[in-house]
Structure formats: structure tokens, C-alpha cells
């Protein structure tokens, strides 16, 4: 069966450092890998999408890599700030309208001063 | 308008009650979704609607009944729920092309007593 695992349940880092989160999947060949941020009691907020034929994508302080051979994505937040503290979810989907979006287990990031 | 609006924000219902959750978007998205999220777990897909037709039902018990009256509205009718159905219910929508990710509402916090 399909499995999407994020390596750490929780990650604590110091302000200004780079946070690196990992997403591994099995029994899946997604067309897209997406990253979301979720704050307590709120819905997930879309951050970045990377396609299966892309290796890397950047947006401001965020960088995502996608290795379809390793079946792994890395999500980096550079110059992290306390406001970046949240749960980060990776999610996989295929092409087409109304494609199923399946979430990973999530990593709770805490950025301290 | 770039939001998905869910009402009510909180709902407490007895096991014999009938209630409905409502979701609305005016972004012209033709795919809409219901997810269920338990505490400290990722969102789990329940139903997918594509162009107002149910396209995916993830083997959800019949006490949950979705409805898509038009392209902007999605309802989830609840009847004879169990205490274990207490969770955050999230609605989402997406464009035909997924490059902009999925847009989630803030959810309805449901408690079944």
C-alpha cells in the first residue's frame, strides 16, 4: 500500500538556521509533490509544488528538491524565524482535475530564539 | 475572492442528530474535496467532486453524505454519528491544473456527544 513518511515528528532549530524536512514515499509514482503549512486549528496552506520532471524549486526562503529515483523530497527553510513554527505536510497527487491529494505524516517545526 | 469558507466553525451534535457542514468557494475551481483530520494526524481524504459529480468516495460510512448543489457549494450531511467521528472536517478546492495547489478552508471542529 502507499506510504508517505516524513522523517521527524518534530524538529527544533535555532532562529537563523536552515530547517531541512524530509518526505519519503513508497508504492507511488506521483506527478506532483506539494508542501503545505498547517497552524493549530487551521486548514493547510499551500506553499510549493514540484513536478516529477523537476529537480528543484525555490520561492523566497523556501527550497524544495524532488528525487523520483530515491522517492524523496527535501524541504528547506533558510534563515528560519519563530514565525515559521508550524506543522509542515508533504502531499502527493497525480495529473488531472480532482486528483486525490494524499498527505504525509507531517513534521512539527519549532524555531526558537 | 481566494478563499474557501466553511460553516459552522464549531459544531456539537448528539448521536441521534442530523446536521450539515457547508463549504463555499468563488474561485471557479471545479474540483472540491472533503477531508477529515484527527488530532496530531494528517488530513485524510473522504470525498472528491469533479464538475459537481462525485468522483471518489474513500469507503466512507454512509452516515456521512456529501452533496454538491452547484459549482461553488459543497455540503456534508451528518446523521447518526459516533463519538469517534469527532474531528476537524476540512473542505478544499483546486483548479483543473494543480500548479497553484489546493486551497483549504479553516475547517469545522465537530464534537459528537
Amino acid at each position: 500500500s502507499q506510504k508517505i513518511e516524513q522523517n521527524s515528528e518534530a524538529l527544533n532549530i535555532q532562529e537563523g538556521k536552515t530547517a531541512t524536512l524530509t518526505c519519503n514515499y513508497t508504492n507511488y509514482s506521483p506527478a506532483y509533490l506539494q508542501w503545505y503549512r498547517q497552524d493549530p486549528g487551521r486548514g493547510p496552506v499551500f506553499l510549493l509544488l514540484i513536478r516529477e520532471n523537476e529537480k528543484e524549486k525555490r520561492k523566497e526562503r523556501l527550497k524544495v528538491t524532488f528525487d523520483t529515483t530515491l522517492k524523496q523530497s527535501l524541504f528547506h527553510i533558510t534563515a528560519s524565524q519563530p514565525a515559521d513554527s508550524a506543522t509542515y505536510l508533504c502531499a502527493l497527487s497525480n495529473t488531472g482535475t480532482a486528483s486525490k491529494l494524499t498527505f504525509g505524516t507531517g513534521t512539527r517545526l519549532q524555531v526558537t530564539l | 475572492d481566494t478563499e474557501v469558507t466553511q460553516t459552522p466553525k464549531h459544531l456539537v451534535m448528539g448521536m441521534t442528530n442530523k446536521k450539515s457542514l457547508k463549504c463555499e468557494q468563488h474561485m471557479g475551481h471545479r474540483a472540491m474535496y472533503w477531508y477529515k483530520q484527527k488530532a496530531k494526524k494528517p488530513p485524510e481524504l473522504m470525498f472528491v467532486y469533479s464538475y459537481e459529480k462525485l468522483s471518489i468516495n474513500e469507503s466512507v460510512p454512509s452516515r456521512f453524505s456529501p452533496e454538491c448543489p452547484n459549482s461553488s457549494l459543497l455540503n456534508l450531511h451528518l446523521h447518526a454519528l459516533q463519538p469517534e467521528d469527532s474531528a476537524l472536517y476540512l473542505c478544499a478546492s483546486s483548479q483543473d491544473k494543480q500548479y497553484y495547489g489546493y486551497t483549504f478552508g479553516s475547517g469545522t471542529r465537530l464534537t459528537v456527544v
Side-chain angles (χ1 to χ4, degrees):
Chain A
S1 63
Q2 296 168 356
K3 233 177 172 182
I4 309 169
E5 290 184 325
Q6 295 183 238
N7 65 329
S8 307
E9 193 175 311
L11 182 64
N12 294 307
I13 65 163
Q14 209 171 14
E15 184 181 19
K17 304 288 187 189
T18 296
T20 299
L21 285 64
T22 306
C23 175
N24 294 289
Y25 59 93
T26 56
N27 299 321
Y28 206 121
S29 295
Y32 305 114
L33 190 144
Q34 306 183 30
W35 283 89
Y36 288 79
R37 169 188 172 135
Q38 187 173 25
D39 292 288
R42 307 299 301 268
V45 174
F46 171 72
L47 296 174
L48 275 170
L49 177 149
I50 188 165
R51 294 177 232 189
E52 60 181 333
N53 59 354
E54 295 177 315
K55 296 289 184 197
E56 182 180 300
K57 192 165 253 190
R58 293 174 187 258
K59 179 183 172 184
E60 297 171 356
R61 293 185 296 113
L62 308 179
K63 183 177 95 171
V64 172
T65 62
F66 192 12
D67 188 326
T68 53
T69 304
L70 289 179
K71 295 186 183 290
Q72 182 181 79
S73 174
L74 299 179
F75 177 77
H76 307 273
I77 306 175
T78 57
S80 58
Q81 305 164 359
D84 295 326
S85 299
T87 295
Y88 290 85
L89 298 154
C90 68
L92 306 182
S93 61
N94 279 313
T95 56
T97 303
S99 174
K100 202 167 142 170
L101 183 68
T102 306
F103 285 93
T105 47
T107 296
R108 194 171 62 254
L109 176 67
Q110 184 72 39
V111 181
T112 53
L113 294 169
Chain B
D1 189 350
T2 57
E3 287 188 344
V4 171
T5 303
Q6 289 188 246
T7 54
K9 292 198 183 312
H10 301 275
L11 179 62
V12 179
M13 62 185 288
M15 290 189 283
T16 57
N17 289 162
K18 279 186 184 181
K19 296 284 184 186
S20 296
L21 309 185
K22 183 177 165 183
C23 173
E24 196 166 358
Q25 57 89 15
H26 297 286
M27 295 177 281
H29 292 177
R30 303 312 298 269
M32 296 185 76
Y33 312 79
W34 280 114
Y35 280 82
K36 173 182 176 179
Q37 187 174 26
K38 302 280 272 183
K40 298 193 187 304
K41 296 288 186 184
E44 289 182 359
L45 183 66
M46 298 174 73
F47 301 105
V48 180
Y49 272 83
S50 175
Y51 288 82
E52 294 133 64
K53 294 213 177 336
L54 182 65
S55 62
I56 298 176
N57 176 341
E58 291 285 274
S59 304
V60 178
S62 60
R63 56 186 185 269
F64 294 91
S65 174
E67 179 198 17
C68 190
N70 61 55
S71 60
S72 300
L73 276 177
L74 189 65
N75 297 321
L76 186 63
H77 303 296
L78 314 172
H79 172 56
L81 294 193
Q82 305 295 311
E84 59 264 29
D85 296 321
S86 299
L88 182 67
Y89 287 84
L90 294 162
C91 174
S93 68
S94 67
Q95 298 182 27
D96 285 3
K97 297 200 182 299
Q98 298 177 40
Y99 308 146
Y100 303 104
Y102 290 47
T103 304
F104 283 80
S106 290
T108 294
R109 173 71 62 192
L110 174 68
T111 304
V112 182
V113 297

